[in-house]
Amino acid sequence: MTALQAPPSASEVLSRCRELVRPALEEAVAGLHPWLAEMAAYCFGWCEVGGAPAAAPGGKGVRQALAVLGAEAAGADGRVGVPAAVAVELVHAFSLLHDDIMDGDGTRRRRPAVWQAYGTGPAVLAGDALFALAVQTLAGVARDPGALGLLSAALADLVRGQADDLLFASRPRTGPERVTPAEYRAMAEGKTGALLGCAVALGAALGGAPEATVTALEQAGRRLGIAFQLVDDVLGIWGDPAVTGKPAGGDLREGKKTFPVLVALASPAAGRLPELLGRPERAEEAAALIEAAGGRAAALAEARTHTAAARALLAGTPLAAPAAADLLALLDFLVGREL
Amino acid sequence: MTALQAPPSASEVLSRCRELVRPALEEAVAGLHPWLAEMAAYCFGWCEVGGAPAAAPGGKGVRQALAVLGAEAAGADGRVGVPAAVAVELVHAFSLLHDDIMDGDGTRRRRPAVWQAYGTGPAVLAGDALFALAVQTLAGVARDPGALGLLSAALADLVRGQADDLLFASRPRTGPERVTPAEYRAMAEGKTGALLGCAVALGAALGGAPEATVTALEQAGRRLGIAFQLVDDVLGIWGDPAVTGKPAGGDLREGKKTFPVLVALASPAAGRLPELLGRPERAEEAAALIEAAGGRAAALAEARTHTAAARALLAGTPLAAPAAADLLALLDFLVGREL
């Protein structure tokens, strides 16, 4: 009889998976053209411009963890999911690199974005290299083309979501051409959900899971992604800057059309909200109006719906117990335990 | 007994393959996000900015033809090679879109490049969409992951070749850090050869060719690509502007480090060549010096070597006869019958 142990926390799960994946990710990146490998390493926080080693903050590694846990949930060793983990982390880095160019974001994780540090052209090429490497990594291990179908479908959804996101910025805030909350949900599913769903599904597929399990995990990951984006939207308006690391009300200052904003704009209680958005000095007033018009409550309710759906999908699928617990811990961590 | 017929000319082969592939290419592009589909259609010459139909000059369609002929060479119907043809044309369009951004080329086929017409960010995204669609197209039909291995390896080589090409521009013209002809050859194999090799190999793989045939065709396509690039370099200096559609000596005015230039720079007969490159008013003088230093002859000899190797690979591989003749016609057309 073993002693009772507390289940591992989400940060323990994330850190275990990062350690498992890191050597393979480093090896894949090292196979790139040296110039592109440096940009990739900079993007992952492993080096400074010029190549000197660094330990800058990388991402949390949610996607790689989902891939490892997907393989474990299928009853396989987590190492079986590592190529899937490498592929999805490469795709994630590719999308950050290119999105920062498109969005004109000069800073990423408190350092200059790759296009700022190395130039736009080189950053485009480094993104392309990561994209190609992701496909190559998976093509090298997948025994059937289904895995590449999952990855390429997620890539297509990711690009479609980014296209919608770019176009939303130029749509009006009011009138028949305004962005609807349903359109926003579809965008978030493409831009955030598709790759999370792909990560856990790919891991499960490499782990030998039956197709129904792969599909259920893919759906659960997508629901998690939508919920995560909605919670991120709420934090982007009402979050504590000390916790989020972003300025208070930053999304309102920039006039971003996030879910709470779109719900409020569609409500008769919107009042002068359209005029306040994008005006930094009126951000507090805008936040109060959005809350009064039900934007915050609707976003949290919608996030709760998707989180519950993800939990139900996990509960209704036969999964190896420790990995199922780790997946739930990760879900709680990403969307908040209270949802 | 059938009447004797002249074998089809290369332009008949190209046009037959374009007609065979066009519906599937249009269908694939139509499945993209409408905004990205318009940029893709503009890039293919099918529409104007805004979406109005157009019949602007597209490419010759060499890559799609190679894919169709690869399938036919394996004894299959050319239609079997169509998904490969669509995939390689999408990859080619992706690389033109992104390369024009990186190289700052504002014009492509006598129209504004996509990034000029739609903006840099949208052009980056449209390229990503074409890339993802290429992988998706192939993942949808390939019965084994080998085909995706071929495509992703070509993608990786393409990116590596572009990286070298970008870096060559900032290397010195003389001294130990100068670009060697061998480095240039490796760049051309990546940037031009890899996708030509992939096209014919993928077509053959979908047509059910044995692995040895796929490999031989891949190598032949790569050799053809290198030879094509070398001939293009010669035409870029000594070509007739009425035939090439490019200004006489254009490559010299821009100071491009092409193969004939690199050979001449490495020769004791280079003389003042380093100072003349990139000076439009000295282009004629530079061309004469490069010729005198053996640059032109060396490029043509090198192109002849690769063309002969491609022909030998085709001759040494069991291929269905009509397709083999079409492949040879295409080879003659691309590198010049006299080589």
Side-chain angles (χ1 to χ4, degrees):
Chain A
M1 197 176 161
T2 56
L4 278 173
Q5 276 192 307
S9 71
S11 64
E12 283 165 342
V13 171
L14 287 167
S15 135
R16 170 174 76 85
C17 294
R18 278 199 308 269
E19 277 165 38
L20 188 65
V21 174
R22 172 85 181 243
L25 190 57
E26 280 183 359
E27 192 189 327
V29 166
L32 292 173
H33 185 290
W35 184 41
L36 306 176
E38 182 190 314
M39 284 188 264
Y42 174 84
C43 171
F44 284 118
W46 304 340
C47 77
E48 306 297 352
V49 174
K60 291 185 288 289
V62 171
R63 290 154 196 83
Q64 58 189 299
L66 285 172
V68 170
L69 295 177
E72 291 178 350
D77 190 292
R79 276 170 290 194
V80 173
V82 166
V86 170
V88 294
E89 281 302 314
L90 292 170
V91 168
H92 182 52
F94 140 78
S95 78
L96 296 182
L97 261 169
H98 281 191
D99 286 2
D100 283 346
I101 296 170
M102 293 175 221
D103 302 338
D105 282 340
T107 305
R108 162 76 54 190
R109 294 177 192 141
R110 296 165 205 221
R111 298 203 299 171
V114 175
W115 69 273
Q116 280 281 26
Y118 291 87
T120 298
V124 170
L125 191 63
D128 294 345
L130 293 170
F131 196 149
L133 187 58
V135 178
Q136 210 174 8
T137 299
L138 207 55
V141 296
R143 272 159 304 174
D144 75 286
L148 283 145
L150 283 171
L151 186 73
S152 63
L155 283 165
D157 282 352
L158 196 67
V159 167
R160 181 177 280 272
Q162 172 68 2
D164 276 332
D165 200 19
L166 285 180
L167 290 175
F168 286 177
S170 55
R171 298 259 296 271
R173 294 199 177 107
T174 55
E177 292 299 311
R178 72 167 189 270
V179 181
T180 66
E183 285 180 296
Y184 183 87
R185 202 186 299 117
M187 181 281 289
E189 178 165 353
K191 197 167 164 170
T192 311
L195 194 57
L196 296 189
C198 173
V200 64
L202 266 185
L206 294 190
E211 205 173 313
T213 302
V214 172
T215 306
L217 288 175
E218 210 258 334
Q219 289 304 316
R222 280 183 175 255
R223 296 300 199 114
L224 169 62
I226 302 171
F228 176 74
Q229 184 56 56
L230 292 163
V231 170
D232 200 55
D233 288 352
V234 170
L235 293 174
I237 301 177
W238 296 282
D240 178 353
V243 177
T244 64
K246 296 174 189 168
D251 282 0
L252 294 178
R253 293 159 195 261
E254 293 173 28
K256 275 200 197 164
K257 296 188 184 77
T258 61
F259 193 87
V261 172
L262 296 171
V263 168
L265 285 171
S267 147
R272 288 167 313 137
L273 180 59
E275 307 146 41
L276 303 180
L277 294 168
R279 293 173 61 183
E281 76 285 6
R282 309 293 287 272
E284 263 184 68
E285 205 180 327
L289 249 178
I290 294 164
E291 185 149 16
R296 179 180 187 161
L300 290 173
E302 180 82 19
R304 215 171 285 126
T305 303
H306 292 289
T307 305
R311 284 209 182 88
L313 281 157
L314 292 178
T317 310
L319 303 173
D326 288 355
L327 281 169
L328 282 172
L330 207 53
L331 186 145
D332 284 345
F333 169 76
L334 287 172
V335 295
R337 211 168 283 270
E338 66 280 7
L339 274 187
Chain B
M1 197 176 164
T2 56
L4 278 173
Q5 276 191 307
S9 71
S11 64
E12 283 165 342
V13 171
L14 287 167
S15 134
R16 170 175 77 84
C17 294
R18 277 198 308 269
E19 276 165 40
L20 188 66
V21 174
R22 172 84 181 244
L25 190 57
E26 281 183 0
E27 194 189 326
V29 167
L32 292 174
H33 186 289
W35 184 42
L36 306 176
E38 183 190 315
M39 284 187 264
Y42 174 84
C43 170
F44 284 119
W46 304 340
C47 78
E48 306 295 353
V49 174
K60 293 185 286 291
V62 171
R63 290 153 194 84
Q64 57 189 299
L66 285 172
V68 169
L69 295 176
E72 290 177 352
D77 190 292
R79 278 170 290 194
V80 173
V82 166
V86 170
V88 293
E89 281 302 314
L90 292 170
V91 168
H92 182 52
F94 141 78
S95 77
L96 297 182
L97 263 168
H98 280 191
D99 286 2
D100 283 346
I101 297 170
M102 293 174 222
D103 302 337
D105 282 341
T107 305
R108 164 73 56 187
R109 294 175 192 142
R110 296 167 204 221
R111 299 203 300 170
V114 174
W115 70 273
Q116 280 281 24
Y118 292 87
T120 299
V124 171
L125 191 63
D128 294 345
L130 293 170
F131 195 149
L133 188 58
V135 178
Q136 211 174 8
T137 299
L138 208 56
V141 297
R143 273 160 303 175
D144 76 287
L148 282 145
L150 283 171
L151 186 73
S152 62
L155 283 165
D157 283 351
L158 196 67
V159 167
R160 180 177 282 272
Q162 173 68 3
D164 277 332
D165 200 19
L166 285 179
L167 290 175
F168 285 177
S170 54
R171 299 259 295 271
R173 293 197 178 109
T174 53
E177 292 298 310
R178 72 167 190 271
V179 181
T180 66
E183 285 181 297
Y184 184 86
R185 201 186 301 114
M187 181 281 289
E189 178 165 355
K191 197 167 164 170
T192 310
L195 194 56
L196 296 189
C198 172
V200 65
L202 266 186
L206 294 191
E211 205 173 312
T213 302
V214 172
T215 305
L217 288 174
E218 212 258 331
Q219 289 304 317
R222 280 184 176 255
R223 295 301 199 115
L224 170 61
I226 302 170
F228 176 73
Q229 184 56 56
L230 292 164
V231 170
D232 201 55
D233 287 353
V234 170
L235 294 174
I237 299 177
W238 296 280
D240 178 354
V243 177
T244 64
K246 294 175 190 169
D251 282 0
L252 293 178
R253 292 159 195 262
E254 293 172 29
K256 275 200 195 165
K257 296 189 183 78
T258 62
F259 192 86
V261 172
L262 296 171
V263 169
L265 285 171
S267 147
R272 289 168 312 136
L273 182 58
E275 307 145 41
L276 303 179
L277 294 169
R279 294 174 61 183
E281 76 285 6
R282 309 292 287 273
E284 262 183 69
E285 203 181 330
L289 248 180
I290 294 165
E291 186 150 13
R296 179 180 188 159
L300 290 174
E302 180 82 18
R304 214 171 286 124
T305 304
H306 292 289
T307 306
R311 282 208 184 90
L313 282 157
L314 292 178
T317 310
L319 303 173
D326 288 354
L327 282 169
L328 281 173
L330 207 54
L331 186 145
D332 284 344
F333 169 76
L334 287 173
V335 295
R337 211 168 284 272
E338 65 279 7
L339 274 188

